[in-house]
């Protein structure tokens, strides 16, 4: 049990898709689908730097609570589309 009051929040970047076709293509790749997500943090590749457990290397964050927020879609939440989008495959 970690009793630290220090938190490290990591928001994975990824950008957004710019068209319906781009979004459909992204849905079949790691930035648009969770099918290739690592089952746990140690398998993401993010186990050093600010995520490292060694206080000699990273004294401010080694004992902190770490939150990894996985990028999961290409949406920018900046518009509205009323029509139906074909997301069953490539256009």
């Amino acid at each position: 049990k970690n009793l630290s009051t220090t938190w490290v929040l990591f928001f994975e970047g990824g950008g957004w898709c710019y068209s319906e076709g781009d979004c459909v293509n992204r849905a079949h790749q790691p930035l648009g689908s969770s099918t290739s997500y690592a089952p746990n943090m140690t398998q993401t590749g993010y186990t050093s730097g600010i995520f490292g457990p060694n206080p000699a290397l990273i004294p401010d964050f080694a004992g902190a609570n770490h939150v990894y927020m996985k990028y999961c879609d290409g949406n920018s939440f900046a518009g509205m589309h009323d029509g139906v989008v074909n997301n069953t495959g490539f256009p």
Side-chain angles (χ1 to χ4, degrees):
K1 183 176 179 180
N2 189 346
L3 300 177
S4 176
T5 58
T6 301
W7 289 83
V8 175
L9 306 178
F10 178 76
F11 294 84
E12 181 183 46
W16 62 71
C17 47
Y18 295 95
S19 67
E20 290 178 16
D22 188 27
C23 289
V24 170
N25 289 336
R26 182 184 289 252
H28 300 282
Q29 299 172 13
L31 289 179
S33 171
S34 62
T35 59
S36 65
Y37 285 4
N40 58 56
M41 190 64 190
T42 59
Q43 295 176 346
T44 64
Y46 294 106
T47 56
S48 61
I50 62 170
F51 291 111
N54 187 340
L57 297 175
I58 188 80
D60 294 329
F61 300 122
N65 299 288
H66 293 88
V67 178
Y68 173 73
M69 285 164 277
K70 182 76 175 127
Y71 180 85
C72 60
D73 70 14
N75 201 332
S76 68
F77 302 104
M80 187 174 90
H81 182 77
D82 290 331
V84 175
V85 176
N86 171 14
N87 65 357
T88 59
F90 296 97

